Amino acid sequence: MAEGTRRLDRYRIQTFNHIAESGVREFDATNFEVGPTTSDPHAILCRSHRLAASDVPDTLLAIGRAGAGVNNIPVSHCSERGIVVFNTPGANANSVKELVAAALFLSCRDVVGAVQWVRGLSRALKPADLDLLVEAQKRQFAGHELSGRTLGVVGLGAVGAVVARVALDLRMTVLGFDPELAEETARRLSRRVQRVNSLAALFARSDFISLHIPLNRHTFELIGDDLFSICKPGMTLLNFARAEIVEHAAVLRALDSNRVQRYFTDFPHPDFISRESVLATPHLGASTMEATENCAVMAARQLSAFLRKGTITNSVNFPAVSLEAKSGYRIAVANLNEPGMLGALLAVLANRGINVNEMINKSRENLAYNLLDLDVEPDAALLAEIRKVKQVIGVRYVSSPLEGL
C-alpha cells in the first residue's frame, strides 16, 4: 500500500484488456479517472494481462482481477508492498459450468465427429441415398449416457459446487475432494455429493474427473503419473481450471496407455492438436458476455469500495475487512502480522491525544489490515510516524466525514 500523506480527491484506474463497459461505469467520473492510458495509477483493473513486478508503479494501492485466477499477477511482490489484490470468485461460475456440461456431453457422445462426417458427405446425394447411408454409418458414432456414471470434482468452490449440482441433476454419482473447503461453501454444497479424503480415492472411482482448483505452488502439475497410474481405466479428464495443474507429459503418457480415454482441456497445446483423444477449446471458460460483465462489475465495485472506504472483499492476499462508518476520519494500515504492532500503532495515536472512535483489525497468514476512524483529521506528520512503526508496510488517509463514510 503506497503511503498516503493526504486524502485523494480523485483516484486513477488503469485498465488492461477489454473491460466490459458495465464495469467501467461503476467508477463515477467525479471520483475516478479510468482508462488504458491512465498513468501513475492508484489501481489496476485487468483480465488476463500479465503483470510483472516491474510493471507495478509506486503509486499503486490495489489490483482488481476480473476473473478467478491470479497467476498473471505478482501477488508475492504486491504483498510485500502492501498492495491489495482482488479477484472475482463465482462471477464466471455459470459460464464455466455450462462449458463443463457441454464437455461432459461431448466426451461421451461423438457429436463433433458426427457433425464432421455429415459435412463431408457429397451434396449430390439423393435424399433416399442419404437416409440409407446415415442409417448404415451412424453406429460408428454411438456413445453412452452420463446417467449412472461417476463424476469426480476436484475443488468444490464456486465453480466446482455448481458443476457438481449439474451432474447430480443428470443422475450421475458425484465425488468431491477439497481439503480447503470454506465452511460457508460447504454448507451450500449438496448433501448428495460424496466427499472423499484424497485425490487417490477420487481418481480410483471416477469415470469423469473435472478440475476446479487455483494454480499455485501446491497445485502446479498436481495431476501426474502417480494419479494416472491408479485412475479408473478409460477415465475422461476435464481441465477448465489452469493448464499447469496437469503435468503435460504425464497426460500424454496416460492417453497413450489408454488409462485416460479422453482429455478435454480449455488450454490448447501443439502436442494436443492432432490427437483425436483430445478435445481442446481456446480458453472459453469465461468467454460469455454475461461472465465478462459480471467479472468486470464485481472487480470494479471491490476496487471502488477499497479506494473510497478502505473495505476489502475477495482479496487473495489480505483478509476481508469491513467497518460500518459512524463518524471520524478513516485511515487504513497494512502491516506484517507480528506481535506488538497493534500496541505500537495505538501508542502513536495516544501520544498525540487522538481518540479512536471505531476500529477493526484482521489478519491473514503473515499479513494484517486495520481500519481506524479517528476523531481528528490525520496530517502528513501523523501518517509518516505510523509508517515508521516497524511492522507497518502501508498507511493511507482514506476518507473524511464529509464524504459520507
Side-chain angles (χ1 to χ4, degrees):
M1 184 190 298
E3 182 174 331
T5 57
R6 63 182 178 83
R7 179 181 59 80
L8 295 172
D9 295 318
R10 202 158 184 250
Y11 294 98
R12 298 183 296 273
I13 314 294
Q14 185 175 15
T15 59
F16 291 90
N17 310 117
H18 172 71
I19 302 299
E21 186 60 30
S22 56
V24 175
R25 286 198 300 267
E26 290 292 324
F27 300 107
D28 64 272
T30 302
N31 295 289
F32 298 97
E33 174 190 340
V34 185
T37 60
T38 301
S39 59
D40 299 322
H42 301 112
I44 287 174
L45 177 56
C46 66
R47 293 174 64 193
S48 57
H49 179 80
R50 185 167 293 277
L51 291 171
S54 58
D55 298 324
V56 179
D58 293 338
T59 53
L60 203 68
L61 301 169
I63 297 175
R65 161 76 165 100
V70 291
N71 55 303
N72 59 318
I73 296 171
V75 178
S76 296
H77 175 75
C78 291
S79 297
E80 292 172 2
R81 290 180 44 186
I83 297 170
V84 182
V85 179
F86 297 90
N87 69 344
T88 57
N92 62 3
N94 192 68
S95 176
V96 178
K97 174 201 73 177
E98 291 184 356
L99 189 58
V100 172
L104 284 170
F105 291 125
L106 293 174
S107 296
C108 62
R109 304 285 293 274
D110 189 11
V111 176
V112 174
V115 169
Q116 291 174 339
W117 179 81
V118 171
R119 283 181 176 173
L121 296 176
S122 172
R123 296 180 64 183
L125 281 170
K126 295 179 180 179
D129 293 336
L130 178 59
D131 290 343
L132 289 173
L133 187 59
V134 166
E135 289 303 315
Q137 297 295 324
K138 68 180 183 181
R139 70 188 66 180
Q140 65 180 302
F141 304 110
H144 57 78
E145 297 180 4
L146 291 170
S147 178
R149 305 275 174 163
T150 298
L151 172 67
V153 181
V154 181
L156 296 169
V159 178
V162 292
V163 167
R165 192 178 310 138
V166 167
L168 290 170
D169 289 342
L170 292 170
R171 295 188 296 177
M172 298 182 76
T173 298
V174 179
L175 308 179
F177 174 74
D178 192 335
E180 299 182 359
L181 187 63
E183 183 177 342
E184 181 179 350
T185 306
R187 286 198 296 268
R188 295 197 301 265
L189 192 66
S190 171
R191 294 181 180 180
R192 292 185 290 158
V193 176
Q194 302 174 31
R195 301 275 298 278
V196 296
N197 59 12
S198 70
L199 274 175
L202 184 141
F203 267 69
R205 296 172 53 191
S206 300
D207 300 298
F208 300 83
I209 294 176
S210 192
L211 306 177
H212 301 288
I213 51 178
L215 175 63
N216 54 45
R217 61 188 178 89
H218 302 295
T219 62
F220 177 75
E221 295 189 344
L222 176 66
I223 311 302
D225 287 321
D226 290 347
L227 290 171
F228 289 134
S229 68
I230 60 173
C231 74
K232 195 171 182 179
M235 178 265 288
T236 292
L237 179 66
L238 311 177
N239 182 9
F240 290 89
R242 283 292 181 267
E244 298 85 355
I245 290 171
V246 177
E247 185 182 351
H248 176 73
V251 75
L252 291 175
R253 287 190 288 269
L255 289 166
D256 289 339
S257 66
N258 293 320
R259 297 294 301 181
V260 174
Q261 180 182 26
R262 190 177 295 278
Y263 181 44
F264 206 128
T265 178
D266 206 19
F267 313 100
H269 188 279
D271 290 345
F272 296 152
I273 291 175
S274 61
R275 284 181 172 257
E276 292 186 2
S277 56
V278 176
L279 293 176
T281 49
H283 205 178
L284 297 180
S287 293
T288 62
M289 292 177 59
E290 294 85 353
T292 299
E293 291 189 357
N294 290 342
C295 288
V297 169
M298 186 173 178
R301 288 177 178 174
Q302 291 168 175
L303 285 177
S304 178
F306 171 74
L307 293 172
R308 299 197 64 194
K309 299 181 180 181
T311 300
I312 295 180
T313 305
N314 291 325
S315 170
V316 300
N317 58 342
F318 276 87
V321 179
S322 179
L323 178 63
E324 182 182 357
K326 296 179 180 178
S327 64
Y329 300 82
R330 176 164 294 184
I331 64 172
V333 180
N335 62 276
L336 300 179
N337 186 23
E338 296 177 359
M341 181 274 161
L342 190 57
L345 169 61
L346 295 176
V348 170
L349 300 173
N351 290 339
R352 283 174 163 260
I354 297 174
N355 185 55
V356 178
N357 297 334
E358 299 284 344
M359 73 168 291
I360 187 170
N361 166 268
K362 294 285 186 179
S363 63
R364 177 175 179 174
E365 297 179 354
N366 63 330
L367 295 176
Y369 183 78
N370 313 263
L371 290 178
L372 301 95
D373 292 346
L374 312 179
D375 63 350
V376 299
E377 185 170 14
D379 56 20
L382 172 63
L383 298 178
E385 189 174 352
I386 293 174
R387 187 67 176 83
K388 291 178 181 178
V389 174
K390 180 181 178 182
Q391 300 92 337
V392 171
I393 55 178
V395 58
R396 70 184 178 104
Y397 177 8
V398 178
S399 54
S400 70
L402 294 178
E403 297 171 287
L405 267 177

Coordinates of all heavy atoms in Angstrom, one line a residue, residues 12-14 37-43 57-60:
R12 N -7.0 7.3 -9.8 CA -6.7 6.9 -11.2 C -6.7 5.4 -11.3 O -6.0 4.7 -10.5 CB -5.3 7.5 -11.5 CG -5.2 9.0 -11.5 CD -3.9 9.5 -12.0 NE -2.8 9.1 -11.1 CZ -2.4 9.8 -10.0 NH1 -3.1 10.9 -9.7 NH2 -1.4 9.4 -9.3
I13 N -7.5 4.9 -12.3 CA -7.6 3.5 -12.5 C -7.1 3.2 -13.9 O -7.6 3.7 -14.9 CB -9.1 3.0 -12.4 CG1 -9.8 3.5 -11.2 CG2 -9.1 1.4 -12.5 CD1 -9.2 3.0 -9.9
Q14 N -6.1 2.3 -14.0 CA -5.6 1.9 -15.3 C -6.2 0.6 -15.7 O -6.2 -0.4 -14.9 CB -4.0 1.8 -15.4 CG -3.5 1.5 -16.8 CD -2.0 1.5 -16.8 OE1 -1.3 1.5 -15.8 NE2 -1.4 1.6 -18.0
T37 N -4.8 4.3 -20.8 CA -3.6 5.2 -20.9 C -3.4 5.9 -19.6 O -2.5 6.8 -19.5 CB -3.8 6.2 -22.1 OG1 -4.9 7.0 -21.9 CG2 -3.9 5.4 -23.4
T38 N -4.2 5.7 -18.6 CA -4.0 6.4 -17.3 C -2.6 6.1 -16.7 O -2.2 4.9 -16.6 CB -5.1 5.9 -16.3 OG1 -6.4 6.2 -16.8 CG2 -5.0 6.6 -15.0
S39 N -1.9 7.1 -16.3 CA -0.6 7.0 -15.8 C -0.6 7.1 -14.3 O -1.5 7.6 -13.7 CB 0.3 8.0 -16.4 OG -0.1 9.3 -16.1
D40 N 0.5 6.6 -13.7 CA 0.7 6.6 -12.2 C -0.6 6.2 -11.5 O -1.2 6.9 -10.7 CB 1.1 8.0 -11.8 CG 2.4 8.4 -12.3 OD1 3.3 7.6 -12.5 OD2 2.5 9.6 -12.7
P41 N -1.2 5.0 -11.8 CA -2.5 4.6 -11.3 C -2.4 4.3 -9.8 O -1.4 3.8 -9.3 CB -2.8 3.4 -12.1 CG -1.5 2.8 -12.4 CD -0.6 3.9 -12.7
H42 N -3.6 4.5 -9.2 CA -3.8 4.0 -7.8 C -4.3 2.6 -7.8 O -4.1 1.9 -6.8 CB -4.7 4.9 -7.1 CG -4.3 6.4 -7.0 ND1 -5.0 7.4 -7.7 CD2 -3.2 6.9 -6.4 CE1 -4.3 8.5 -7.5 NE2 -3.3 8.3 -6.7
A43 N -4.9 2.2 -8.9 CA -5.4 0.8 -9.0 C -5.3 0.4 -10.5 O -5.3 1.2 -11.4 CB -6.8 0.7 -8.5
P57 N 3.6 0.3 -10.4 CA 4.2 1.6 -10.0 C 4.1 1.9 -8.5 O 3.4 1.2 -7.8 CB 3.2 2.5 -10.8 CG 1.9 1.8 -10.9 CD 2.3 0.3 -11.0
D58 N 4.9 2.8 -8.1 CA 5.0 3.2 -6.7 C 3.6 3.7 -6.2 O 3.4 3.7 -5.0 CB 6.1 4.2 -6.5 CG 7.4 3.7 -6.8 OD1 7.6 2.4 -6.7 OD2 8.4 4.5 -7.0
T59 N 2.8 4.2 -7.1 CA 1.5 4.8 -6.7 C 0.4 3.8 -6.4 O -0.6 4.1 -5.8 CB 1.0 5.8 -7.8 OG1 1.0 5.0 -9.0 CG2 1.9 7.0 -8.0
L60 N 0.7 2.6 -6.7 CA -0.4 1.6 -6.7 C -0.8 1.1 -5.3 O 0.0 0.9 -4.5 CB 0.1 0.3 -7.5 CG -1.1 -0.5 -8.1 CD1 -1.8 0.2 -9.1 CD2 -0.6 -1.9 -8.6

